[in-house]
Amino acid sequence: MSATVLIIDDAVHIRRLIARMLERNDFSTLEAADGLEGLEMLRTRRPDIVTCDISMPLMDGFEFLENAKSDPDIRNIPVIIVTAVGQEDETTRALNLGADACLTKPFSSSHLLELVRAQLKK
């Protein structure tokens, strides 16, 4: 049985790109357009791992992390934060809030897969 990855990003083209990269490597995917929708899916669907953008409407990636990591039922599900080049301060903040790893855009499918697989092995 393959692992399920929840992809949270307000940019549909980024969600689809990440989903294709993962699905080609036998992962199942779920998609959410913002942190609020993502948090609800995390609680109800219980994916194995999450990728989450920072800048989103309704609930950004930081708020998502604060909520997910403070909930004892879901806090152990790994979260990989996706940031843009030059946002090192956001990466530091995300890691301090409990992100398990950070992925900087643009990224290769091999780097994405490497991070996802490493988090799933923990």
Side-chain angles (χ1 to χ4, degrees):
M1 185 169 163
S2 68
T4 300
V5 182
L6 170 58
I7 304 159
I8 308 172
D9 199 304
D10 60 322
V12 68
H13 66 282
I14 298 293
R15 286 197 318 266
R16 291 307 315 144
L17 175 69
I18 294 172
R20 278 193 306 272
M21 289 176 175
L22 293 166
E23 289 165 0
R24 286 184 188 141
N25 288 275
D26 299 322
F27 287 94
S28 298
T29 60
L30 302 167
E31 296 181 33
D34 58 63
L36 199 57
E37 182 184 3
L39 190 60
E40 181 62 27
M41 289 184 87
L42 184 61
R43 289 181 171 139
T44 59
R45 303 289 298 273
R46 302 289 170 103
D48 299 292
I49 191 165
V50 177
T51 67
C52 183
D53 189 26
I54 293 287
S55 301
M56 297 180 290
L58 300 180
M59 178 186 284
D60 67 20
F62 298 126
E63 293 169 300
F64 170 83
L65 271 172
E66 289 172 338
N67 281 279
K69 295 301 181 178
S70 67
D71 184 330
D73 292 331
I74 56 176
R75 79 168 120 223
N76 293 325
I77 297 173
V79 177
I80 299 172
I81 289 293
V82 180
T83 61
V85 170
Q87 296 179 320
E88 289 82 11
D89 55 332
E90 289 186 351
T91 298
T92 301
R93 182 176 173 200
L95 291 170
N96 288 337
L97 288 171
D100 296 275
C102 292
L103 181 64
T104 304
K105 292 186 249 185
F107 53 85
S108 66
S109 60
S110 61
H111 190 208
L112 170 67
L113 292 166
E114 178 183 314
L115 273 179
V116 168
R117 289 180 177 135
Q119 289 304 315
L120 290 172
K121 287 180 181 175
K122 288 184 175 181

